[in-house]
């Protein structure tokens, strides 16, 4: 359910008109752009939004904090290269990018310095990157465990403020002690990153919320939180996978209830979650995960509530969360990126002043 970002978000309209979106002639104002692009259908949609709390009040998406995980666009990067992909993201109103490797099969060779400059030229801030946790069979693997210095060197060269892994902490198994050992690894990487002015983070999938094999009453994610240094190890919550985990691991192995709410984890320690993956899904209890992945805005996850609750929390008066859209296998990756930006920019508090 794609929405017109201009009618819903004046701030986005200003930025997109300034960037020349939709081929608007030089000198055209944002108001003229809105008038030219607001169709009767869009006007009707705006009226409907008013009835549901969208299109009124403050935006729930903080300005300047919308990013995208480039894994979602790997098909475009591999065939066309980074430059046309960044140009499209600029048109769609993105502010930041998160890497999943620095080539992704990119057409043509590119250096880190060129990649950093290319992002800057399109108004995109590289905010983070996913790197493997370990590959114990390959001493030269590009992972934190095997090549920590190189991983941090590259992140520093790109000017990243965050450097992390999407690998689960299963290096030593699924026992409590195994996860304590993994937490020790993460503390080492986090301290090394902190010395360079960066934050090390771990991105979850559903399995992190499963239970320890030796202590089935203990949720492994709780071990990770308890055993890592909160000033050195941070979390990137993949919201979709967290809600899938809520469905899959809402009971202990013996069948007794063990409900949890992903949002509560964040609200208890908001400073530990600088990054989020905004990924949507249609509820389907006939599937293993309880959801079928969708473009952001086409699913059932309440992002108006989630963003509102999280962004209401500040640290010394400053907002510090970054929101990266993602889809593991979008039907059309550019359409996913555009629709997701439109939806998130359209979300508003229920009424002015809320």
């Amino acid at each position: 359910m794609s929405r017109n970002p201009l009618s819903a978000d004046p701030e986005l309209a200003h930025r997109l008109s300034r960037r020349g979106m939709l081929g608007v002639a030089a000198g055209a104002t944002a108001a003229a752009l809105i008038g030219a692009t607001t169709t009767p259908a869009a006007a009707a949609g705006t009226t409907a939004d008013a009835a549901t709390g969208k299109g009124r009040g403050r935006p729930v998406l903080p300005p300047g904090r919308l990013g995208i995980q480039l894994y979602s666009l790997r098909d475009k990067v591999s065939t066309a290269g980074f430059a046309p992909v960044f140009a499209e993201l600029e048109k769609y109103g993105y502010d930041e990018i998160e890497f999943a490797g620095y080539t992704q099969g990119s057409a043509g060779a590119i250096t880190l310095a060129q990649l950093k400059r290319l992002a800057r030229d399109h108004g995109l801030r590289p905010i983070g990157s996913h790197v493997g946790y370990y590959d114990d069979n390959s001493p030269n693997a590009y992972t934190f465990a095997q090549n920590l210095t190189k991983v941090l060197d590259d992140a520093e060269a790109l000017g990243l403020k965050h450097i992390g892994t999407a690998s689960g902490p299963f290096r030593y198994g699924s026992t409590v002690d195994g996860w304590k050992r993994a937490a020790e690894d993460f503390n080492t990487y986090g301290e090394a990153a902190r010395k360079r002015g960066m934050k090390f983070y771990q991105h979850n999938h559903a399995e992190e919320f499963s239970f320890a094999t030796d202590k089935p009453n203990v949720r492994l994610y709780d071990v990770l939180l308890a055993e890592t240094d909160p000033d050195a190890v941070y979390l990137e919550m993949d919201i979709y996978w967290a809600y899938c985990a809520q469905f899959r691991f809402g009971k202990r192995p013996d069948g007794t209830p063990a409900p949890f709410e992903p949002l509560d984890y964040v609200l208890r320690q908001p400073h530990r979650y600088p990054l989020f993956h905004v990924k949507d899904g249609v509820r389907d209890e006939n599937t293993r995960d309880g959801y079928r992945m969708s473009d952001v805005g086409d699913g059932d996850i309440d992002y108006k509530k989630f963003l509102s609750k999280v962004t209401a929390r500040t640290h010394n008066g400053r907002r510090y969360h970054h929101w990266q859209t993602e889809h593991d296998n979008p039907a059309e990756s550019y359409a996913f990126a555009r629709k997701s930006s439109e939806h998130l920019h359209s979300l508003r508090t229920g009424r002015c002043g809320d």
Side-chain angles (χ1 to χ4, degrees), residues 162-198:
H162 308 83
I163 180 69
T165 184
S167 302
F170 293 96
R171 184 182 189 185
Y172 309 109
S174 298
T175 64
V176 170
D177 284 343
W179 273 54
K180 287 182 177 180
R181 289 183 64 190
E184 291 176 5
D185 288 346
F186 284 10
N187 286 333
T188 298
Y189 311 150
E191 182 59 31
R194 181 166 59 177
K195 289 179 179 178
R196 301 196 189 206
M198 293 180 283

Side-chain angles (χ1 to χ4, degrees), residues 282-349:
V282 176
R283 183 76 172 179
D284 185 350
E285 297 188 4
N286 293 317
T287 65
R288 182 198 67 169
D289 293 322
Y291 290 87
R292 290 180 285 104
M293 199 176 294
S294 69
D295 291 349
V296 179
D298 288 349
D300 296 317
I301 296 177
D302 188 350
Y303 276 111
K304 178 181 173 183
K305 173 184 176 182
F306 200 102
L307 270 76
S308 296
K309 293 286 188 181
V310 174
T311 57
R313 299 295 182 97
T314 62
H315 181 64
N316 295 329
R318 298 177 60 189
R319 300 188 189 279
Y320 49 89
H321 299 104
H322 304 263
W323 305 89
Q324 320 294 312
T325 65
E326 188 186 34
H327 192 308
D328 290 358
N329 292 290
E332 209 297 311
S333 54
Y334 279 153
F336 156 76
R338 174 182 53 78
K339 289 169 60 182
S340 299
S341 174
E342 289 177 0
H343 176 69
L344 293 173
H345 278 102
S346 78
L347 298 179
R348 287 290 187 278
T349 54

Side-chain angles (χ1 to χ4, degrees), residues 73-93:
L73 295 158
R74 61 194 181 278
D75 60 325
K76 299 295 193 295
V77 173
S78 64
T79 56
F82 283 103
V85 170
F86 288 177
E88 289 298 308
L89 295 178
E90 182 180 18
K91 291 179 183 178
Y92 302 156

Side-chain angles (χ1 to χ4, degrees), residues 108-121:
I110 188 168
T111 66
L112 294 180
Q114 290 171 332
L115 190 54
K116 180 181 179 181
R117 184 167 57 251
L118 183 63
R120 183 190 62 215
D121 290 347

Side-chain angles (χ1 to χ4, degrees), residues 208-212 217-223 249 258-260 265:
E208 281 86 340
F209 294 89
S210 62
F211 295 91
N217 288 331
V218 176
R219 196 179 298 279
L220 289 171
Y221 196 70
D222 295 337
V223 177
F249 304 113
F260 73 93
Y265 275 101

Side-chain angles (χ1 to χ4, degrees), residues 10-20 63-64 93-95 345:
E11 183 263 337
L12 179 61
H14 172 74
R15 289 178 31 241
L16 296 188
S17 64
R18 176 172 52 82
R19 292 176 175 181
Y94 282 93
D95 310 294
H345 278 102

